[in-house]
Amino acid sequence: GAVVSQHPSWVICKSGTSVKIECRSLDFQATTMFWYRQFPKQSLMLMATSNEGSKATYEQGVEKDKFLINHASLTLSTLTVTSAHPEDSSFYICSARPDLSTDTQYFGPGTRLTVL
Amino acid sequence: AQSVTQLDSHVSVSEGTPVLLRCNYSSSYSPSLFWYVQHPNKGLQLLLKYTSAATLVKGINGFEAEFKKSETSFHLTKPSAHMSDAAEYFCVVSEKGSYIPTFGRGTSLIVHP
């Protein structure tokens, strides 16, 4: 149980285009989803916290107009990287928290974004 | 405020020998502590978690960790390393109530044959 999927697993796009990454909780409902960015050989950097039906809470320094997050249902959150540039190339990982009584997160497999 | 310090960026062991990955934390309130493992180009897998029950926590794949409040530590151990244990390990703390996680920088475990 507690499986989180991400789609796509990797994507290559041209500079200036937008890319959408999906995060789904497959066998549970997630009241909260988190989006992380990970640079090579580094730890995960929390970008934003997404609660179903409300606006995402972004961490300091993360541009909300650049990284659009939509948590439309209890099983789906999307991250859209708008007008992508090469510096946006990274490994993006989502996680989902099943309910308000636990702080255990279950992580997706990650999405490798390369912007040319 | 909460923080996590993973004391070693790399740990190198021989197959069959014990593993010790060190983690110290700082938390204003009663913390939850986690260890996650990440294999190359993969997401994170939960190894174990401490949430104020037993201080010695057993996880998957033979790993365990002991919560020591007096030392503010949550070190991860395994009696005998396998080649498949080679990966990146993250110690994570979150405070009850906020549930916002803070990650350590990670420790790369290298296992030699």
Side-chain angles (χ1 to χ4, degrees), chain B residues 3-113:
Chain B
S3 66
V4 177
T5 303
Q6 289 185 244
L7 297 160
D8 307 293
S9 59
H10 296 85
V11 169
S12 183
V13 300
S14 297
E15 190 175 21
T17 63
V19 175
L20 170 64
L21 305 182
R22 298 182 294 167
C23 173
N24 286 99
Y25 70 92
S26 171
S27 175
S28 302
Y29 302 102
S30 179
S32 293
L33 293 156
F34 307 81
W35 275 99
Y36 287 89
V37 60
Q38 184 182 32
H39 289 92
N41 296 309
K42 301 290 185 183
L44 277 69
Q45 181 184 19
L46 179 65
L47 281 177
L48 50 81
K49 63 179 180 179
Y50 166 79
T51 54
S52 77
T55 56
L56 182 61
V57 182
K58 293 188 182 298
I60 62 172
N61 301 336
F63 285 95
E64 62 181 39
E66 185 172 7
F67 174 72
K68 291 186 177 180
K69 187 174 182 179
S70 60
E71 298 177 10
T72 60
S73 69
F74 190 59
H75 300 335
L76 182 70
T77 60
K78 182 173 181 177
S80 176
H82 294 160
M83 294 297 292
S84 60
D85 294 328
E88 193 79 15
Y89 290 79
F90 293 98
C91 182
V92 180
V93 63
S94 69
E95 290 179 347
K96 290 185 174 59
S98 75
Y99 298 127
I100 302 299
T102 299
F103 279 73
R105 64 174 178 171
T107 298
S108 179
L109 177 63
I110 302 161
V111 182
H112 298 286

Side-chain angles (χ1 to χ4, degrees), chain A residues 31 97-104, chain B residues 32 49 51 96-97 99:
Chain A
T31 55
R97 182 157 70 91
D99 59 60
L100 297 176
S101 65
T102 178
D103 48 6
T104 300
Chain B
S32 293
K49 63 179 180 179
T51 54
K96 290 185 174 59
Y99 298 127

